Amino acid sequence: MKAVAAVPRSIADYQGRSVEELFARTVEAKRALGNNVMVLGHNYQRDEVIEHADFRGDSLLLAKLAAQHADRPNIVFCGVHFMAETADILSRSSQTVILPDMAAGCSMADMAAIEQVDECWDQLGRILPVEETVLPAVYVNSAAVLKAFCGEHGGITCTSSNARAVMEWAWARREKILFFPDEHLGRNTANKMGLPRERMIVWDPYLPNGGNSADAIRKARLILWKGHCSVHQMFQPAHVDYFRKKHPDIKVIVHPECHEDVVNKADLVGSTEFIIRTVSAAPAGTAWAVGTELNLVNRLKKEQTDKHVHFLSSTVCQCATMFRIDAPHLCWAMENLADGHVVNHIVVPEDDKAWAKVALDRMMAIS
Ligand code: SF4
C-alpha cells in the first residue's frame, strides 16, 4: 500500500461522477491493493457494485468466505450492516471489515431492538420458567447484539435455508421457540413442519405480553416476532394468479420471507442461493416467475438467456437500504483504503462477538 495520505477523501467528491470514471478508479484502487483486499457482494447488490466483487452470494456464505480468506486483511462488504457485522464476528481479529455506506441497514433487522427482546424475555419469564422452556432463535438478518442474546440464552441463529433444521434442533431441546425478527420465515417453516396454527402466536413488541393472553403463551410452541421484510411483503397472491393465467406452464419460485398466502401458491420456496441454483439448472425454454429482490431477478434474466425469467410483482421491489451501496461509495471506500485510510470500519464489541459466535457456531454445527 501507498504511504498514508494525511486526510481521508470525502464522499462528497465522488457524488455526481460518471459511472465509467468510478468504475475505472475502483478497478485501479483494487489493483493497487492487490491481496490486501477482498470485495464481497451480496446477491441483491446493483450491477455497478457487484462487478467489482471477488465473490457474490448470500450473507452467510459471504461471511464464511471472509473467514476462510484470512490472508486478506481488508474485507469490503457490499451488503447491509448486519451482514458486515457477521463477517466481523466470523473473521479473524487481524481482518478489518468495511461497509461502504453506514446507512445501508435493514428494515427487518431494525424491527427487533435488544431492549424489546429483553423486555419480551422478562414478560415471558413472569408466565413461564423461560430459560427452561423457551429457546430463542434469531434469523441471521439481525443485529449482532441479538445473535449474542441467543448465544447467551442457549439459543441459535438460522438462515432461510436451514430454518427447518434449526427449528427441529430447538424443539428437541425446549418446548417453545421464540423466533425473531421475521414472522414470515418462522411461520412458513412451521407450516411445512405441520405445526397447527393454534400453537403459533405472534408477539407484537408494542403490546403487553406481545398482545397475547397468558394462556395462549402457555399453549404456544412457536412465538413469532412481529417483523417482516418490506421487500418480500410486496409480493401478493394476485401476482401468482396473474402469471399462472398468462403463462400456464410457468413455475413460481419465491423466498420464504414472503407472506404465507404467496408461499402457499408457489411451486418452489427457498433462499436466494436456492433460487439462483434452481433457475440456472432448469431446462432451456422454461418460464419462471421469481419472487425476490429485483436486482437479483434482473441479473438472473440477463444471465439465463435461454429461459424466460419474470419478476413476480408489477411494482418495483428493490431493497432500498442495500441500494445505498453504490459506485461512489464503493470507490470512496476503496481509494481511501489504497491511501491507507479505513473508512466505515465495522466493529462488533468483544462481548457481543463472543456470544454471537456461540449462536452462529451452534447453527453451523447442524447445517
Ligand atoms: S431484502 Fe429485506 S431482509 Fe434483506 S436486507 Fe433488504 S430489507 Fe433486510
Side-chain angles (χ1 to χ4, degrees):
M1 272 192 270
K2 289 192 278 181
V4 178
V7 187
R9 298 167 189 242
S10 162
I11 183 63
D13 295 336
Y14 292 75
Q15 309 292 6
R17 304 266 171 189
S18 73
V19 173
E20 294 74 27
E21 178 190 340
L22 292 167
F23 175 83
R25 287 172 60 174
T26 304
V27 168
E28 176 50 28
K30 197 168 174 220
R31 191 203 56 73
L33 284 158
N35 286 340
N36 284 311
V37 74
M38 179 164 70
V39 180
L40 300 176
H42 189 268
N43 288 324
Y44 295 167
Q45 287 291 327
R46 44 169 117 203
D47 288 350
E48 70 193 46
V49 169
I50 209 90
E51 62 196 357
H52 297 287
D54 295 300
F55 297 100
R56 59 166 126 150
D58 64 15
S59 60
L60 195 67
L61 173 70
L62 295 178
K64 283 184 188 164
L65 284 166
Q68 283 162 14
H69 289 80
D71 56 319
R72 303 289 181 103
N74 297 292
I75 297 148
V76 175
F77 203 116
C78 301
V80 295
H81 197 270
F82 74 78
M83 299 175 186
E85 280 189 333
T86 306
D88 185 49
I89 294 163
L90 294 181
S91 60
R92 312 284 166 100
S93 53
S94 55
Q95 289 176 289
T96 298
V97 179
I98 292 165
L99 182 67
D101 186 349
M102 286 301 216
C106 164
S107 54
M108 179 206 283
D110 292 345
M111 286 178 196
I114 185 61
E115 296 75 17
Q116 293 174 315
V117 174
D118 278 336
E119 179 57 30
C120 165
W121 202 248
D122 285 351
Q123 290 186 21
L124 290 173
R126 281 177 224 131
I127 295 166
L128 316 150
V130 68
E131 295 284 350
E132 290 99 69
T133 54
V134 185
L135 192 138
V138 69
Y139 191 19
V140 287
N141 296 22
S142 58
V145 68
L146 298 189
K147 296 181 179 81
F149 175 94
C150 287
E152 205 171 352
H153 292 278
I156 189 165
T157 60
C158 79
T159 69
S160 52
S161 43
N162 64 19
R164 183 182 181 129
V166 164
M167 281 193 178
E168 281 165 359
W169 182 91
W171 274 321
R173 280 157 182 80
R174 292 186 197 163
E175 182 199 332
K176 300 174 197 297
I177 301 172
L178 170 63
F179 190 92
F180 55 107
D182 187 21
E183 173 186 343
H184 302 280
L185 174 62
R187 182 180 293 113
N188 287 323
T189 308
N191 282 346
K192 279 213 166 153
M193 295 171 78
L195 185 72
R197 179 51 57 101
E198 62 272 16
R199 309 302 294 275
M200 300 182 209
I201 56 171
V202 174
W203 187 278
D204 182 339
Y206 296 98
L207 295 174
N209 285 345
N212 302 285
S213 66
D215 195 41
I217 291 171
R218 279 190 207 99
K219 282 193 187 129
R221 297 214 57 216
L222 180 61
I223 303 167
L224 297 166
W225 193 266
K226 192 172 163 57
H228 63 267
C229 165
S230 41
V231 175
H232 290 95
Q233 286 308 295
M234 299 283 278
F235 299 107
Q236 301 295 320
H239 296 141
V240 181
D241 297 341
Y242 168 82
F243 275 106
R244 292 220 188 276
K245 202 168 163 201
K246 207 165 167 217
H247 309 276
D249 293 332
I250 206 162
K251 292 269 184 220
V252 178
I253 186 166
V254 303
H255 194 279
E257 287 170 20
C258 293
H259 193 281
E260 66 177 331
D261 293 346
V262 174
V263 166
N264 292 344
K265 279 181 171 251
D267 298 295
L268 294 158
V269 183
S271 65
T272 52
E273 289 297 321
F274 170 80
I275 292 172
I276 294 169
R277 243 189 356 259
T278 305
V279 176
S280 306
T286 49
W288 294 86
V290 184
T292 192
E293 206 270 346
L294 182 63
N295 281 301
L296 185 157
V297 181
N298 281 343
R299 201 165 301 123
L300 263 182
K301 251 189 222 178
K302 231 190 267 173
E303 291 171 358
Q304 301 298 316
T305 46
D306 60 338
K307 288 144 214 165
H308 309 286
V309 177
H310 304 268
F311 185 57
L312 182 61
S313 170
S314 48
T315 42
V316 173
C317 304
Q318 187 161 262
C319 180
T321 46
M322 193 79 74
F323 206 59
R324 297 199 66 114
I325 308 290
D326 55 9
H329 283 90
L330 178 57
C331 187
W332 170 71
M334 295 288 285
E335 287 194 338
N336 269 311
L337 193 57
D339 286 347
H341 291 293
V342 170
V343 290
N344 293 357
H345 186 184
I346 299 294
V347 186
V348 176
E350 283 307 317
D351 231 29
D352 287 346
K353 199 183 259 191
W355 279 118
K357 189 158 185 319
V358 169
L360 285 160
D361 285 347
R362 284 184 186 128
M363 174 187 75
M364 289 196 266
I366 61 167
S367 44

